[in-house]
Amino acid sequence: MRILILGASGYAGSCIKKALEKEYQEVFGTYQNQMKAGQFSGDSSMYQYALGKQGELEALLRKTDPDVVISCLRGDFGRQKEAHKALGEFLAGKENGSILYLSSANVFDGDLRKPHLETDLPKAESSYGQFKIACEELLAGQLGERAVILRIPEIWGTGCPRLKKFQKDVQQGRPVQTYGNFWVNYTTDRQITAWVSYIMKQNLHGVFHIGTRDLYGYTAFQEELAERLGVGTPVFEIEENQEKQVLAVVPGRQEIPERLQIGVEDVLRLASGRERWMV
Ligand SMILES: NC(=O)c1ccc[n+]([C@@H]2O[C@H](COP(=O)([O-])OP(=O)(O)OC[C@H]3O[C@@H](n4cnc5c(N)ncnc54)[C@H](OP(=O)(O)O)[C@@H]3O)[C@@H](O)[C@H]2O)c1
């Protein structure tokens, strides 16, 4: 099986690539930033690709000829939509061609009354959430069940950029953005890679919510993490919510085994360097 990871130099993409390389022979990836060319110069599995150059994407697909594409891209929304349309067309033309698309909990930011399961209809208010819904629908329209949608909340994994920034901001007494009366769930690099690997091996289809089963207060999580990291007390810049708000993609798919399920305590332990959950 040939696998192409778009955005393989990013946080999620690089973790997924590293994990899949242990299981599959032919795993390719892309980076965008020319400054990273040196970093990948000796790595024949990494290709430079920038959104907007459609010819380049087609050439990349011809060269790598993937059966599975894993999309971990960021960048201009319009250009991402164009790229995903071309990807869908390419994969639709292949027998069993499929895509795993990293979507977001923000597809539900237009309905903050409760946590959401895979069976709920997305409703977004933010342009980011609306863009993610548009990509999900585009791919599902082109590929049906062969478009696997992975909706994720905030990633707090080992050495992730969000964690590094949080740690530095707290240590240096810089204001940390937070939201009062706001409840969310979380995921980690390990949970995402373990689920991607399992979904591929078991040939599962449809929509998956990859996140903790339980929820936590947004500010309480930051306070708890700062304490466990031993970096001091955060100086918060709080955006208060009058009413309780929830942004959480809770996992409800029965095919995913118990050993791949995690809770917020596992995320806190992993992020603070006291890991418990292993796959
Ligand atoms: N991180 C989270 O907490 C989170 C939560 C929910 C959903 N997601 C979704 O998960 C996916 C991955 O997120 P991430 O945090 O791992 O992202 P990231 O670390 O910022 O990585 C983004 C990747 O996209 C590439 N990229 C950026 N602009 C591009 C362009 N114009 N053309 C081509 N490639 C471009 C980057 O290449 P360079 O490295 O060369 O710049 C990098 O490989 C995204 O779709 C995001 O919406 C993430």
Side-chain angles (χ1 to χ4, degrees), residues 7 9-12 32-33 36 51 73-74 128 132 155 162:
S9 53
Y11 185 67
Q32 177 245 163
N33 193 336
K36 294 185 178 172
L51 285 164
L73 287 174
R74 285 195 195 268
Y128 174 58
K132 286 291 192 186
I155 312 172
R162 177 178 282 117

Side-chain angles (χ1 to χ4, degrees), residues 14 24 40 49 69 71 75 87 102 104 110 120 144 159 186 244 277:
S14 61
Y24 298 91
F40 297 115
Y49 161 67
V69 172
S71 169
L87 283 170
L102 251 64
S104 162
D120 291 346
Y186 298 95
K244 180 177 176 176
W277 184 75

